[in-house]
Amino acid sequence: EVQLVESGGGLVQPGGSLRLSCVASGFTFRSYSMNWVRQAPGKGLEWVSYISSSSRTIHYADSVKGRFTISRDNAKNSLFLEVTGLRDGDTAVYYCATMTPSLVLEYWGQGTLVTVSS
Amino acid sequence: QSVLTQPPSVSAAPGQRVTISCSGSTSNIGNNYVSWYQQLPGTAPKLLIYDNNERPSGISDRFSGSKFGTSATLGITGLQTGDEADYYCGAWDSSLNAVIFGGGTKLTVL
C-alpha cells in the first residue's frame, strides 16, 4: 500500500522558516517524480513545486520561487520542502504527491498544516 | 486565479447524472493529459480520473472523463449523497512548467 506521510508544519511568524518532510513507503520512491501542492483554508488546490526522480529537474510556482527549495533523499525515501521568508499567504495545508510519467498527481499524503501568523 | 476554469458549484438529485466542465488552453489541456480529483470534506484530494478518461483501480465506473480540444468533462452517474465533495481538474502546463488546477466545483446532492 502506498503511503505518504508529511510532517514539519506548525505555527511560524512572518519571515520565518520551516522544513517540511514527506516519507514514502509502499512503492519504489527513487523511480517517481514528486510534487508539493498546498491548499489555503477554504480555498482550492495550488501546485507548489516539482522534482524529478533524479533531482535533475526542479520547477517552482512563481508565488514561491526564490523562497522555497524542494529536495529529496532517495536512500531515505524522503521528500523535503524548505520554506523561508514565510508570508501570511503561505498559510495552507501542504501535501506531497507522486507523479506518473503522464504528469498526473497520483497518490497524496494527508498533509501538514503551516500557519503563518504573528 | 486558476488557469483552468470550472463552475463553482453543481447540484443534482440522488440517482441523477451530473457533468462538470473544465476549460483550458493549448498549453495545458490541449496538449497534455487531464486528471480529476475528488476531495471529500476534511480529507486529502484523491485521484479520480487520469490520462483524460482512465479510472484508477477501485474507482467506481459511475465516474467518467472525456476531453475535446482544450476542454474536459467529468461525468458522474447514479449520484449518491457520498459523492458530495469538491472536484478539481488538473493538467500540466507546458508553458508554465507547472501543474495547474481548476478552481474547484462543489457538488451538492440534493
Side-chain angles (χ1 to χ4, degrees), chain B:
Chain B
Q1 186 173 358
S2 304
V3 181
L4 302 181
T5 302
Q6 298 180 235
S9 63
V10 295
S11 62
Q16 296 298 302
R17 178 178 184 266
V18 72
T19 60
I20 298 173
S21 61
C22 175
S23 178
S25 67
T26 54
S27 64
N28 40 71
I29 292 178
N31 284 286
N32 293 294
Y33 287 112
V34 176
S35 50
W36 290 90
Y37 306 89
Q38 178 192 58
Q39 188 173 33
L40 297 169
T43 69
K46 180 175 78 171
L47 181 63
L48 205 59
I49 297 289
Y50 69 97
D51 293 2
N52 303 331
N53 55 16
E54 300 292 333
R55 284 186 309 275
S57 174
I59 298 299
S60 170
D61 60 4
R62 296 187 300 106
F63 296 92
S64 64
S66 64
K67 184 181 104 168
F68 185 77
T70 59
S71 294
T73 301
L74 173 70
I76 311 173
T77 59
L79 277 173
Q80 303 172 0
T81 54
D83 295 331
E84 287 200 333
D86 292 322
Y87 292 84
Y88 295 90
C89 58
W92 183 263
D93 190 293
S94 301
S95 295
L96 299 173
N97 278 326
V99 176
I100 55 171
F101 295 101
T105 299
K106 183 175 183 61
L107 169 63
T108 301
V109 181
L110 302 169

Side-chain angles (χ1 to χ4, degrees), chain A residues 1 7 19-20 28 56 58 61 68 72 82 87 90 92 99 104:
Chain A
E1 178 194 4
S7 62
R19 189 191 200 208
L20 308 184
T28 308
R56 186 171 302 174
I58 287 174
F68 290 12
R72 64 190 295 163
E82 296 274 358
R87 309 163 179 167
D90 295 319
M99 181 170 259
V104 169

Side-chain angles (χ1 to χ4, degrees), chain A residues 65-82:
Chain A
K65 205 170 291 184
R67 300 187 300 121
F68 290 12
T69 303
I70 192 172
S71 63
R72 64 190 295 163
D73 184 337
N74 286 343
K76 295 183 178 179
N77 289 348
S78 295
L79 175 72
F80 306 102
L81 187 68
E82 296 274 358

